[in-house]
Amino acid sequence: PLGERCLLGFGSTSGPPALPDYFYNNLHQIVQTKDTVMILTEMVHDARIIRMNAQHLPKTVRKWMGDSRGRWEGNTLVVDVTNHTDRTWFDVVGTFHSDALHVVERFTFADAATIHYEATISAPKVFTRPWKIAFPIIRNTQGFERLEMACHEGERSFGLMLRGQ
């Protein structure tokens, strides 16, 4: 998986939808500007950029984490994600998708310390119907900070991992 090779930091996956392991032991910081929402990830220093109220890129442009476009519906950030490559997985065991993957995420602020996350996944070339995932994201209030991630510093098995591919 890409995360094992320190190529992308979304846990064992490589982008939307955020599966529960995306938030497991992996600090995130959400930053909002007028035109973007960014989810900064400690692992591999990923920066997922969600462009607000913007058109999607041309369908010929494929991105590792898809093309994320957001809009606000009340207190819910709705993110429409298209333009995926077919070279990523949903998990570490190789649950694949095609380049026709379409994800609609909803980040709903339940209270000052909780975001309700829900994603609807449509992958018509792989799955017979859309499916959903949902879980709470709990705000860290204990003063943690994102640290430098030295993914393979001192790692002795990295060469073996690369040769395994």
Side-chain angles (χ1 to χ4, degrees):
L2 295 173
E4 294 296 320
R5 295 167 187 242
C6 301
L7 296 176
L8 293 170
F10 278 17
S12 59
T13 65
S14 56
L19 300 178
D21 68 341
Y22 168 66
F23 288 97
Y24 171 74
N25 201 24
N26 198 0
L27 292 174
H28 293 77
Q29 180 179 9
I30 299 174
V31 178
Q32 181 179 351
T33 69
K34 182 178 71 115
D35 300 321
T36 61
V37 172
M38 294 180 292
I39 302 175
L40 305 173
T41 306
E42 182 175 63
M43 183 175 179
V44 195
H45 304 294
D46 265 352
R48 179 180 174 198
I49 299 172
I50 301 167
R51 305 226 185 273
M52 300 299 292
N53 303 310
Q55 297 295 317
H56 278 288
L57 295 171
K59 293 191 181 300
T60 55
V61 177
R62 299 293 172 173
K63 299 174 74 177
W64 284 105
M65 293 189 288
D67 179 39
S68 297
R69 304 300 168 168
R71 68 182 185 280
W72 286 102
E73 292 181 1
N75 68 334
T76 300
L77 172 63
V78 179
V79 183
D80 187 72
V81 191
T82 62
N83 296 45
H84 292 269
T85 176
D86 62 357
R87 298 176 59 192
T88 61
W89 297 347
F90 284 117
D91 53 33
V92 295
V93 295
T95 304
F96 63 94
H97 58 79
S98 73
D99 62 358
L101 175 65
H102 181 211
V103 180
V104 177
E105 299 172 294
R106 300 179 73 80
F107 296 81
T108 303
F109 292 86
D111 57 47
T114 310
I115 297 174
H116 176 75
Y117 176 83
E118 178 180 295
T120 302
I121 296 94
S122 300
K125 293 181 182 177
V126 179
F127 299 110
T128 58
R129 64 182 183 272
W131 53 281
K132 288 187 178 189
I133 185 170
F135 55 88
I137 301 169
I138 308 300
R139 184 179 192 168
N140 182 331
T141 59
Q142 299 179 10
F144 288 96
E145 63 182 86
R146 287 182 307 110
L147 299 174
E148 178 183 352
M149 173 70 178
C151 190
H152 289 296
E153 189 173 303
E155 177 64 57
R156 296 181 196 177
S157 64
F158 188 61
L160 296 173
M161 288 170 39
L162 289 176
R163 279 184 246 137
Q165 187 64 352

